[in-house]
């Protein structure tokens, strides 16, 4: 691709922007012409709609077997039906060959709508064997030749999103693999856009995050060289010093990856998508689709099952959830914009909800609980009743009383009945998981969103509907309700016709709780009465008061009769 003068100041991207959105969400007239100054000039297909642009194009996707990758594949097939081919990099995993994994993926319910429209949709998917942590991404030379000859757009979604990943591994996948993919992209003869999926928390050490790539915490090349000769123990020891104010190796390596991607902006057109906390789908292909326990989903399920009773989170902090279909619509649209308008510098899109349509963790808690009470999960351990608190001591108290104590009793019961204890183990894993998430639920951030507004302004009214990423229309209570139902249907694979039985189970649990509480109070009181004269005096006083009331009411009712 022809090298062009690059503008190295990312803030100059502002010159690329169209007009801001009007309040109604409609772009002001005249905003569809592409920006000129910091763009390489519109490509031939500048007037094409998004679907028209993708017609006849070959697209490369990494991470297509993951949560977001699958939704991206589905959306491209459904809304850009003329796309020529989707090349997906897949590795064999857990005893399954690459092809088996792809076949399973295409059978997934997520693809029902595409299947209806085009039963032969699988013919457009070309699986390429690749292990991203290997040299050359372990792609065969024949496949490299195919990819370099035909790919027009690259979407790089693959990453390790684990918060406890050892630094070396996170660096290998999130940074080194990204570098290698960029190397491959440079060889592509017809590349028009490279879209990198990052995270809104890559710079979570800042309170206000603009749509720019910030200087990296360390020069990636130097870090890669240093870690090469260090053993795992040494790397573990220096990791906290390296990541500094960031909470984990995930956000740290994603920040480095952004920098690595930006370094290539002279060579091809780049877009960087930064989603916040990606949740179930809002509308597409149907509401509530989710397939994993990551982020809030695992927390919701644990609360719905009645296992999670307390978590540290700030009721008033913004819960920056973003539906997966919104992220994917934006990603596809950004691919179109990047290819058609060819911005000279990498454009960053902060894909968040907090500044536009804020909702808070306290509200999430309320709606999740009420949703699971109306539509309970099967075989709940206790009635759903989770509370969030920002107070460390209160949280520790409830962990002891509502997590550890019931787990101990339940495990004792299992032991006595000859079964293997399991509840304490489940709680230990849950505590580890929520401990890693608390950083994100205890504070909030502000994200700039000018590029999102600009992109919306560049779309035709029709495309704004097909690739809708306007979260002002998102109705949170309805979304959370569908999200909770989605965890039940698609993550836990529970049958919706069993909801009446699940409700009955909750009623049984409530009755057990009432009985248990009553017995406990009576027991404690008996112990007090046996040991303390004052308790006995109070007891006699209360009992005599009750008798007096009873005889008064009896007397007054006899008189009125
Ligand atoms: C009503 C209350 C409202 C308040 C609600 C506040 C929510 C506040 C969310 C903030 C969210 C920020 C998100 C940042 C936004 C990104 O940038 S996105 C990247 C998001 N990445 C993640 O969420 C990955 C986090 N997960 C991990 O790092 C690893 O799974 C863990 C947690 C360290 C566990 O690792 P592991 O022990 O090796 O095991 P793994 O097989 O992964 O899972 C073990 C068990 O933990 C469970 N688990 C996994 N993840 C979770 C989870 N998130 N929750 C619960 N259980 C989980 C699994 O279900 C599994 O249980 P079993 O099936 O064995 O019974
Ligand atoms: N989920 C979220 O809340 C958020 C996600 N993001 C970003 O979005 C992107 C996608 O995330 P998400 O879909 O949730 O993540 P998933 O964990 O669901 O998917 C990760 C994908 O990467 C692939 N992958 C991982 N390691 C390798 C490897 N060594 N070789 C080949 N492929 C590999 C996985 O393949 P396999 O199936 O073989 O494991 C999978 O397809 C990531 O870049 C993430 O940082 C950003 C913000 C929030």
């Amino acid at each position: 691709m022809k090298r062009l003068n690059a503008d190295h100041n990312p803030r100059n991207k502002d010159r690329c922007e169209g007009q801001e959105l009007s309040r109604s969400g409609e772009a002001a007239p005249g905003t569809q012409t592409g920006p000129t100054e910091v763009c390489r000039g519109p490509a031939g297909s500048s007037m094409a709609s998004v679907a028209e642009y993708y017609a006849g194009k070959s697209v490369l996707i990494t991470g297509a077997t993951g949560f977001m990758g699958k939704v991206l594949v589905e959306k491209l097939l459904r809304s850009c039906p003329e796309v020529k081919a989707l090349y997906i990099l897949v590795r064999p995993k857990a005893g399954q060959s690459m092809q088996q994994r792809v076949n399973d993926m295409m059978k997934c319910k997520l693809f029902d709508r595409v299947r209806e429209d085009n039963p032969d949709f699988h013919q457009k998917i070309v699986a390429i064997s690749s292990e991203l942590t290997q040299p050359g991404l372990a792609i065969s030379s024949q496949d490299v030749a195919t990819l370099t000859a035909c790919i027009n757009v690259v979407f790089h979604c693959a990453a390790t999103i684990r918060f406890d990943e050892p630094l070396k591994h996170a660096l290998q996948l999130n940074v080194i693999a990204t570098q290698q993919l960029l190397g491959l992209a440079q060889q592509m003869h017809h590349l028009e856009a490279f879209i990198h999926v990052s995270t809104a928390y890559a710079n979570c050490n800042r309170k206000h995050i603009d749509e720019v790539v910030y200087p990296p915490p360390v020069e990636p090349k130097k870090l890669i060289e240093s870690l090469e000769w260090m053993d795992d123990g040494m790397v573990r020891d220096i990791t906290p010093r390296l990541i500094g104010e960031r909470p984990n190796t995930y956000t740290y390596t994603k920040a480095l990856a952004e920098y690595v991607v930006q370094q290539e902006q002279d060579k091809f057109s780049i877009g960087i998508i930064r989603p916040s906390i990606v949740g179930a789908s809002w509308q597409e292909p149907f509401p509530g689709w989710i397939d994993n326990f990551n982020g809030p989903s695992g927390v919701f399920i644990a609360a719905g099952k009645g296992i999670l009773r307390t978590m540290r989170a700030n009721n008033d902090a913004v819960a920056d959830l973003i539906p997966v279909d919104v992220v994917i619509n934006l990603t596809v649209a950004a691919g179109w914009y990047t290819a058609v308008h060819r911005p000279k510098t990498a454009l960053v899109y902060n894909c968040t909800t907090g500044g536009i349509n804020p909702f808070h963790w306290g509200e999430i808690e309320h709606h999740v609980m009420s949703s699971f009470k109306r539509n309970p999960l099967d075989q709940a351990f206790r009635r759903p009743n989770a509370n969030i608190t920002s107070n460390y001591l209160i949280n520790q108290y409830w962990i002891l009383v509502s997590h550890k104590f019931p787990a101990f009793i339940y495990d004792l019961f299992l032991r006595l009945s000859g079964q293997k204890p399991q509840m304490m183990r489940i709680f230990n894993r849950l505590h580890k998981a929520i401990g890693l998430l608390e950083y994100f639920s205890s504070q909030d951030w502000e994200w700039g969103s000018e590029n999102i507004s600009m992109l919306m302004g560049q779309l035709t009214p029709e495309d704004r509907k097909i690739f809708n990423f306007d979260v002002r229309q998102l109705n949170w209570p309805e979304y959370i309700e569908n999200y909770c139902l989605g965890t039940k249907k698609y993550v836990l694979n529970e049958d919706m016709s069993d909801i009446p039985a699940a409700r009955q189970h909750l009623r049984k649990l409530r009755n057990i709780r009432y009985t248990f509480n009553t017995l406990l109070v009576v027991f404690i009181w008996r112990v007090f009465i046996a040991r303390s004269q004052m308790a006995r005096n109070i007891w006699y006083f209360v009992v005599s008061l009750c008798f007096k009331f009873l005889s008064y009411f009896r007397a007054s009712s006899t008189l009125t009769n």
Side-chain angles (χ1 to χ4, degrees):
M1 190 173 246
K2 220 170 80 184
R3 278 178 72 113
L4 291 132
N5 275 345
D7 182 342
H8 282 284
N9 181 0
R11 284 182 185 275
N12 285 351
K13 75 189 177 348
D14 291 344
R15 284 187 278 142
C16 232
E17 286 168 12
Q19 273 172 260
E20 284 285 310
L21 284 181
S22 69
R23 266 179 176 275
S24 66
E26 293 298 308
T31 51
Q32 280 166 39
T33 12
T36 48
E37 273 187 282
V38 291
C39 293
R40 292 166 181 162
S45 45
S46 66
M47 293 314 286
S49 72
V50 176
E52 277 166 5
Y53 165 72
Y54 283 102
K57 303 284 176 188
S58 294
V59 174
L60 175 68
I61 301 174
T62 70
T65 48
F67 171 45
M68 287 170 43
K70 270 191 282 226
V71 182
L72 175 62
V73 169
E74 195 275 341
K75 179 69 184 177
L76 282 169
L77 290 170
R78 183 163 47 83
S79 299
C80 307
E82 297 303 317
V83 66
K84 188 171 174 193
L86 302 183
Y87 289 81
I88 59 175
L89 299 190
V90 186
R91 56 178 172 170
K93 194 176 164 187
Q96 277 196 307
S97 70
M98 174 195 75
Q99 201 51 52
Q100 276 170 325
R101 295 192 67 203
V102 176
N103 292 345
D104 283 356
M105 180 181 117
M106 287 185 293
K107 281 186 206 141
C108 171
K109 188 174 164 47
L110 177 73
F111 290 90
D112 280 0
R113 276 182 69 185
V114 179
R115 205 173 293 114
E116 238 170 63
D117 297 346
N118 173 15
D120 295 328
F121 76 92
H122 57 273
Q123 288 174 357
K124 295 213 169 178
I125 299 179
V126 185
I128 303 268
S129 176
S130 170
E131 165 56 64
L132 297 180
T133 53
Q134 296 301 311
L137 309 173
I139 305 178
S140 74
S141 49
Q142 205 184 345
D143 287 337
V144 168
T146 311
L147 296 176
T148 51
C150 71
I151 294 301
N152 305 110
V153 182
V154 175
F155 291 104
H156 178 35
C157 301
T160 168
I161 62 165
R162 294 182 66 94
F163 290 154
D164 62 345
E165 199 72 83
L167 181 58
K168 248 188 188 177
H169 190 250
L171 192 76
Q172 184 68 46
L173 191 52
N174 294 352
V175 184
I176 300 175
T178 304
Q179 267 177 342
Q180 293 204 57
L181 187 69
L182 289 160
L184 178 65
Q186 273 186 51
Q187 299 171 44
M188 294 177 180
H189 307 304
H190 307 290
L191 186 66
E192 293 168 13
F194 185 100
I195 304 298
H196 170 73
V197 181
S198 181
T199 161
Y201 297 101
N203 302 290
C204 58
N205 53 324
R206 293 169 183 270
K207 276 288 158 212
H208 182 92
I209 300 159
D210 277 318
E211 291 175 305
V212 297
V213 175
Y214 288 100
V218 59
E219 176 61 48
K221 196 163 160 262
K222 281 190 188 149
L223 183 66
I224 293 164
E225 281 166 7
S226 317
L227 295 198
E228 249 165 31
W229 59 264
M230 288 189 200
D231 63 30
D232 291 348
M234 282 170 87
V235 177
R236 206 175 33 244
D237 290 345
I238 61 160
T239 298
R241 292 288 299 276
L242 282 170
I243 64 175
E245 285 177 354
R246 287 186 176 78
N248 51 44
T249 54
Y250 169 66
T251 49
Y252 180 74
T253 51
K254 290 297 272 187
L256 296 181
E258 282 192 0
Y259 176 72
V260 160
V261 171
Q262 192 204 31
Q263 294 301 98
E264 305 300 319
Q265 65 188 357
D266 300 2
K267 300 181 185 125
F268 36 79
S269 307
I270 291 173
I272 297 177
I273 314 293
R274 281 194 193 140
S276 45
I277 304 172
V278 184
S281 59
W282 170 25
Q283 292 165 322
E284 292 181 85
F286 40 81
W289 188 80
I290 177 86
D291 75 343
N292 61 69
F293 289 89
N294 290 331
S297 310
V299 178
F300 292 176
I301 291 172
K305 286 278 182 190
I307 296 172
L308 181 89
R309 319 294 290 180
T310 183
M311 177 174 177
R312 259 185 95 197
N314 182 349
N315 276 292
D316 303 321
V318 169
D320 214 301
L321 295 190
I322 184 101
V324 63
D325 46 341
V326 169
V327 181
I328 295 307
N329 286 345
L330 172 76
T331 306
V332 175
W336 160 82
Y337 180 82
T338 309
V340 169
H341 293 284
R342 301 191 291 165
K344 280 186 191 166
T345 55
L347 281 199
V348 179
Y349 301 89
N350 282 343
C351 185
T352 60
T353 50
I356 306 161
N357 182 359
F359 204 58
H360 303 88
W361 287 116
E363 294 170 287
I364 297 260
E365 179 220 89
H366 169 76
H367 289 286
V368 169
M369 289 304 103
S370 93
S371 175
F372 279 130
K373 278 177 187 154
R374 269 175 284 122
N375 304 302
L377 299 179
D378 292 352
Q379 290 304 315
F381 176 60
R382 293 176 71 188
R383 265 176 76 76
N385 188 14
N387 287 298
I388 57 176
T389 170
S390 47
N391 187 301
Y392 174 80
L393 286 177
I394 293 178
N395 186 47
Q396 287 303 311
Y397 169 79
W398 285 117
I399 283 181
L400 197 69
V401 172
S402 287
H403 287 181
K404 294 198 170 161
F405 180 63
F408 174 76
I409 301 281
Y410 191 73
D411 277 354
L412 192 67
F413 166 76
L414 289 178
R415 248 183 248 275
L416 293 176
S417 54
Q419 297 170 65
K420 213 173 145 217
Q422 48 161 322
M423 221 49 210
M424 216 38 141
R425 192 180 56 86
I426 291 177
F427 271 109
N428 286 338
R429 295 177 80 171
L430 180 69
H431 290 151
K432 180 184 170 195
I434 56 177
L436 293 168
L437 300 179
E438 276 170 7
Y439 174 89
F440 301 94
S441 55
S442 303
Q443 49 188 319
D444 40 24
W445 288 262
E446 278 171 20
W447 283 278
S449 59
E450 294 86 1
N451 287 345
I452 300 273
S453 309
M454 177 281 292
L455 183 58
M456 222 182 279
Q458 296 291 323
L459 295 175
T460 62
E462 187 60 17
D463 275 346
R464 273 202 288 277
K465 284 189 204 131
I466 302 173
F467 302 94
N468 180 16
F469 51 87
D470 186 354
V471 290
R472 279 171 298 190
Q473 303 155 6
L474 181 70
N475 176 326
W476 282 105
E478 192 183 292
Y479 173 67
I480 296 294
E481 173 100 17
N482 286 328
Y483 194 155
C484 292
L485 283 171
T487 60
K488 182 175 173 67
K489 276 196 264 187
Y490 310 118
V491 182
L492 301 173
N493 290 318
E494 294 183 2
D495 199 333
M496 297 307 277
S497 61
D498 290 341
I499 285 187
R503 287 196 192 118
Q504 179 62 31
H505 179 68
L506 285 198
R507 279 195 287 275
K508 196 172 98 188
L509 289 176
R510 189 191 51 198
N511 293 341
I512 292 175
R513 187 171 62 115
Y514 285 163
T515 314
F516 178 80
N517 286 355
T518 312
L519 290 176
L520 192 69
V521 168
V522 169
F523 173 75
I524 292 171
W525 194 236
R526 285 299 303 156
V527 170
F528 264 116
I529 285 181
R531 283 163 201 262
S532 146
Q533 183 59 45
M534 201 192 331
R536 271 197 295 277
N537 290 346
I538 294 173
W539 177 242
Y540 292 137
F541 175 73
V542 172
V543 171
S544 66
L545 213 62
C546 289
F547 268 116
K548 274 183 193 152
F549 267 117
L550 268 180
S551 28
Y552 169 79
F553 281 121
R554 212 176 283 160
S556 55
S557 62
T558 327
L559 278 179
T560 46
N561 287 338

